[in-house]
Amino acid sequence: AADKPIRIERGGAEPWTNIETRAGAELRLAHTTVEGGGDPNGGRLTQYGMIDVRGDQDLPPQPIFFADHVTLAGSGSLGVWLREGGSFATGSTDLTITGGAGFPVLAWTNAAGSLPTGKYTGNATDEIFLPAMDTRDAIGADMTLFNRGVPYRVGGDTGGTSLRVGVTKTSVHVLTIEPGVTMRFAKRTRLLLDADANEPTGALVAEGTAAAVERVPESLT
């Protein structure tokens, strides 16, 4: 509660590992600080997270992690790893991820629309990493990428090369990009709006506003 917060922290000089969910599990944190975990175990920072939210990868994203006034601080790797169907639950709000050694969040693309309001800055790399693994994390329902104050990085050395929108053959799935969002694509990475037999299954809506236009770096003009 606000007047009785909970703290989960390391018990010594070295980071602990993580809080991890598996398919069927549920994680609810409120007025809680989690600090000093995310031990990368000598591996890449994108292989580990202080909060590791895993679901059933053969199902649509599952609302496993409910976060209300939660602070995740000082992770040795990712702050939150949303993968294999794991996503934030509706109603999550006021999430702060700061002081981490890598990205605040790595999210399978189909779970990225569940990111709650909050603060995602003060980490080594202040970007939301979307691995863009083509069909594995393809967007199979209408989804919005919200402006959470930091860019979305799409693909890269530890990810794939295709952010795919559209899965089923019977409906069109729409990716909406909120005004003010910045998406940074790695080399040879694409945004694919899929189709089946020349009938669209993916669509993109990116309607910015004059107030939310970011200056294009001179190097790209």
Side-chain angles (χ1 to χ4, degrees), residues 14-203:
E14 299 299 324
W16 52 286
T17 307
N18 61 10
I19 298 173
E20 179 181 339
T21 71
R22 297 292 178 93
E26 181 180 8
L27 175 62
R28 295 180 61 88
L29 301 180
H31 298 284
T32 298
T33 294
V34 183
E35 185 173 15
D39 182 0
N41 297 307
R44 297 195 310 267
L45 298 184
T46 49
Q47 288 179 297
Y48 300 92
M50 188 161 65
I51 306 293
D52 187 352
V53 184
R54 303 172 65 180
D56 186 336
Q57 64 182 358
D58 295 322
L59 297 175
Q62 300 119 61
I64 291 172
F65 182 17
F66 176 82
D68 177 13
H69 290 83
V70 169
T71 295
L72 308 177
S75 173
S77 53
L78 302 165
V80 175
W81 192 6
L82 302 178
R83 57 173 172 149
E84 299 174 12
S87 72
F88 283 96
T90 301
S92 294
T93 186
D94 289 302
L95 172 65
T96 296
I97 306 178
T98 191
F103 300 96
V105 178
L106 189 158
W108 279 26
T109 306
N110 53 15
S114 70
L115 293 179
T117 58
K119 175 185 174 184
Y120 297 87
T121 57
N123 304 280
T125 308
D126 286 334
E127 298 174 329
I128 306 300
F129 184 31
L130 308 180
M133 299 180 293
D134 204 348
T135 57
R136 196 174 183 202
D137 67 342
I139 297 172
D142 290 352
M143 193 187 84
T144 298
L145 282 181
F146 295 103
N147 183 1
R148 295 304 186 221
V150 296
Y152 292 87
R153 177 185 291 192
V154 182
D157 292 341
T158 59
T161 59
S162 185
L163 192 165
R164 182 185 293 263
V165 183
V167 176
T168 67
K169 300 179 181 180
T170 58
S171 60
V172 177
H173 303 132
V174 181
L175 171 63
T176 300
I177 300 176
E178 195 173 57
V181 166
T182 296
M183 300 184 70
R184 294 177 175 168
F185 283 78
K187 185 178 181 179
R188 297 192 179 93
T189 303
R190 64 178 179 173
L191 170 59
L192 172 62
L193 308 176
D194 210 355
D196 178 67
N198 294 322
E199 293 295 325
T201 61

